[in-house]
Amino acid sequence: DTAVSQTPKYLVTQMGNDKSIKCEQNLGHDTMYWYKQDSKKFLKIMFSYNNKELIINETVPNRFSPKSPDKAHLNLHINSLELGDSAVYFCASSQDDRDAYFGPGTRLTVL
Amino acid sequence: AQSVSQHNHHVILSEAASLELGCNYSYGGTVNLFWYVQYPGQHLQLLLKYFSGDPLVKGIKGFEAEFIKSKFSFNLRKPSVQWSDTAEYFCAVRPSGSARQLTFGSGTQLTVLP
């Protein structure tokens, strides 16, 4: 069984479009995250979220918004996509301060 | 806020050579430390972790790491690398007892030549 899953795996879209990436975890973890990995492989936290608190990295544009319909899901919605948004986006989850489990990633290409 | 520094951006080794990748962190309190590996085109997988106790921790695939508190370091080692170890390696830190995000270093690309 996949612990953390993301869809789609690849996403190619035009500038200005709005898109969403879905994430689901079946580990029963309390906290979920979104990370952005750029072309130099650098991993940058975008959001961390549990049922009590949403923490937003202040450098993330407000075009990005997390949406959590329930504890097992944390979707990422992006408005007005820009060229610089092209990257691989990883969802992850963890319980308390234990290690994080990562999803397979979504490679977003903005044309 | 915590930060992580990985000094080696790209390491190239021949098979059977020994490996040591450096990791230093900055944080004023107690931390949990992690090493993750990312094989080409894949997601991050946990290699090993340190929470407390014996500062020498062993992980999967023959990797180990040593936590040296006085040096704020958590270096990754492997006595004999294989071609299949070619990957990107990330050190990460999180304050102990915190459910907040892991902070990652910039990564080290390891290339093992057959």
Side-chain angles (χ1 to χ4, degrees):
Chain A
D1 274 348
T2 303
V4 182
S5 59
Q6 293 177 231
T7 54
K9 190 172 176 63
Y10 299 97
L11 183 54
V12 181
T13 188
Q14 300 285 336
M15 277 176 52
N17 285 350
D18 302 339
K19 291 293 178 185
S20 292
I21 306 172
K22 295 184 177 181
C23 177
E24 177 181 2
Q25 55 98 1
N26 63 5
L27 298 165
H29 288 166
D30 284 336
T31 307
M32 296 183 72
Y33 313 86
W34 277 104
Y35 283 86
K36 178 181 180 181
Q37 186 175 47
D38 63 23
S39 58
K40 295 183 179 180
K41 302 283 189 178
F42 187 69
L43 279 157
K44 180 179 173 181
I45 183 69
M46 301 179 72
F47 306 99
S48 65
Y49 181 79
N50 62 23
N51 55 8
K52 300 174 186 175
E53 188 177 22
L54 170 65
I55 301 172
I56 303 171
N57 184 319
E58 68 254 14
T59 65
V60 175
N62 57 14
R63 299 181 293 104
F64 290 79
S65 57
K67 298 186 190 302
S68 181
D70 55 57
K71 181 180 162 179
H73 296 83
L74 183 66
N75 303 327
L76 181 64
H77 190 75
I78 316 168
N79 289 327
S80 302
L81 278 155
E82 299 178 358
L83 292 176
D85 298 332
S86 295
V88 181
Y89 292 84
F90 286 100
C91 177
S93 72
S94 69
Q95 182 67 30
D96 301 322
D97 65 349
R98 315 304 289 182
D99 42 291
Y101 289 74
F102 283 79
T106 296
R107 182 174 294 278
L108 171 65
T109 303
V110 182
L111 304 175
Chain B
Q2 64 273 24
S3 65
V4 181
S5 176
Q6 291 182 242
H7 318 294
N8 315 103
H9 295 294
H10 194 182
V11 172
I12 302 174
L13 295 172
S14 298
E15 276 194 314
S18 64
L19 170 71
E20 181 160 2
L21 301 182
C23 172
N24 286 91
Y25 70 93
S26 173
Y27 185 69
T30 307
V31 295
N32 296 339
L33 294 155
F34 309 84
W35 275 98
Y36 282 83
V37 61
Q38 186 178 27
Y39 297 103
Q42 295 191 25
H43 64 289
L44 279 82
Q45 303 170 44
L46 183 69
L47 267 181
L48 48 77
K49 59 190 175 185
Y50 172 81
F51 283 7
S52 64
D54 188 344
L56 183 63
V57 292
K58 295 190 183 300
I60 61 171
K61 305 188 181 190
F63 286 92
E64 65 179 30
E66 184 175 14
F67 171 50
I68 303 179
K69 189 175 181 180
S70 61
K71 295 184 178 180
F72 298 89
S73 70
F74 189 56
N75 292 354
L76 181 70
R77 300 195 290 248
K78 186 171 183 179
S80 177
V81 294
Q82 300 173 318
W83 177 78
S84 58
D85 293 324
T86 295
E88 190 87 19
Y89 291 81
F90 294 92
C91 182
V93 65
R94 171 194 265 158
S96 297
S98 168
R100 295 195 173 192
Q101 74 277 5
L102 275 72
T103 298
F104 285 87
S106 55
T108 297
Q109 170 65 45
L110 171 66
T111 301
V112 180
L113 304 174

